[in-house]
Amino acid sequence: MGDESDEKQDKKKRYQPKKDQPLVLPKTAADKQRMQIEKLMRNTEKDVYIPDRPKDWKPRAPPEFVRDVMGSSAGAGSGEFHVYRGFRRREYARQMFIQGVGEVETKNEEFHKKLEENQKKADNKTAKKRAKRQKKKQKMQEKKKQKLQEEGKGDDSDSKSESEDEKDDNDDDAEENCFVIGGR
């Protein structure tokens, strides 16, 4: 008898709720989720079970040989109709599955075609803008050359020595400003 009373006391000790944490019932789905996250975060060392994604439903393959060909026609027994009805239901479900898979594939193909078209449009737009930038840059360089040539016509002797100095300066600038994007 002493053993039974000890077991009852052990059970009472095991199943008593913790007194430092009041019992809180979730009122909404968000509350339930919040409580689950809090429970997980209390002990971060404990592994969490994450269930695998459920497998997609796939119908059975159609039978290679159908034995009951009577169907719902006259002359069939009372039990044959139910067999026929089940077979027909499974066949319709299989056909609907095949149609659904086909629709998903066509939508997927359309989506990928649309993505490719959008990518081509974006590439064309980028190339057009790049060409415009290059053209503008080239015009600016030509204007700069013309300006230098016009200045150079007035001072031919000085321009040669200045142009050599500028080339040397440009080389130094190129070494100093090598980190600049689009630099020399």
Side-chain angles (χ1 to χ4, degrees), residues 29-173:
D31 288 342
K32 184 177 180 181
Q33 193 172 27
R34 180 181 48 79
M35 289 175 64
Q36 288 174 343
I37 291 172
E38 286 175 358
K39 183 179 176 185
L40 288 173
M41 295 308 289
R42 277 188 213 126
N43 187 3
T44 55
E45 300 297 321
K46 185 178 176 184
D47 290 339
V48 178
Y49 170 71
I50 299 173
D52 292 335
R53 186 170 181 242
K55 294 179 182 177
D56 293 333
W57 178 80
K58 197 173 185 182
R60 288 195 292 190
E64 294 179 13
F65 180 76
V66 180
R67 292 195 181 109
D68 300 320
V69 291
M70 289 284 256
S72 62
S73 63
S78 60
E80 298 299 318
F81 173 71
H82 301 294
V83 173
Y84 164 75
R85 190 173 60 176
F87 176 73
R88 184 182 62 178
R89 179 183 51 79
R90 283 189 294 275
E91 183 61 21
Y92 284 159
R94 189 180 71 82
Q95 289 176 359
M96 291 298 291
F97 175 77
I98 291 170
Q99 287 176 356
V101 168
E103 289 175 5
V104 168
E105 288 177 0
T106 55
K107 286 182 181 179
N108 201 11
E109 288 175 10
E110 290 174 5
F111 175 72
H112 286 293
K113 285 180 184 177
K114 185 86 169 177
L115 279 179
E116 288 176 10
E117 289 174 9
N118 289 344
Q119 186 67 33
K120 286 179 184 177
K121 286 180 184 177
D123 290 342
N124 290 339
K125 203 172 189 181
T126 305
K128 191 174 180 181
K129 287 184 179 183
R130 183 184 304 118
K132 191 174 180 181
R133 283 193 309 271
Q134 293 293 340
K135 191 175 180 182
K136 187 177 178 182
K137 185 177 178 182
Q138 193 173 10
K139 283 184 180 180
M140 293 294 284
Q141 288 176 349
E142 288 176 6
K143 284 183 181 180
K144 212 177 212 183
K145 285 181 183 178
Q146 282 181 346
K147 194 174 185 181
L148 289 174
Q149 287 177 357
E150 289 175 3
E151 290 176 3
K153 287 181 181 178
D155 300 325
D156 288 337
S157 61
D158 292 337
S159 65
K160 290 180 182 176
S161 62
E162 287 178 10
S163 63
E164 290 174 4
D165 291 340
E166 286 179 6
K167 285 181 184 177
D168 293 339
D169 290 342
N170 287 342
D171 291 339
D172 294 340
D173 290 342

Side-chain angles (χ1 to χ4, degrees), residues 12-24:
K12 286 182 182 178
K13 288 179 183 176
R14 274 189 243 146
Y15 295 116
Q16 288 181 352
K18 295 180 181 178
K19 293 181 182 179
D20 46 324
Q21 293 180 355
L23 178 65
V24 178

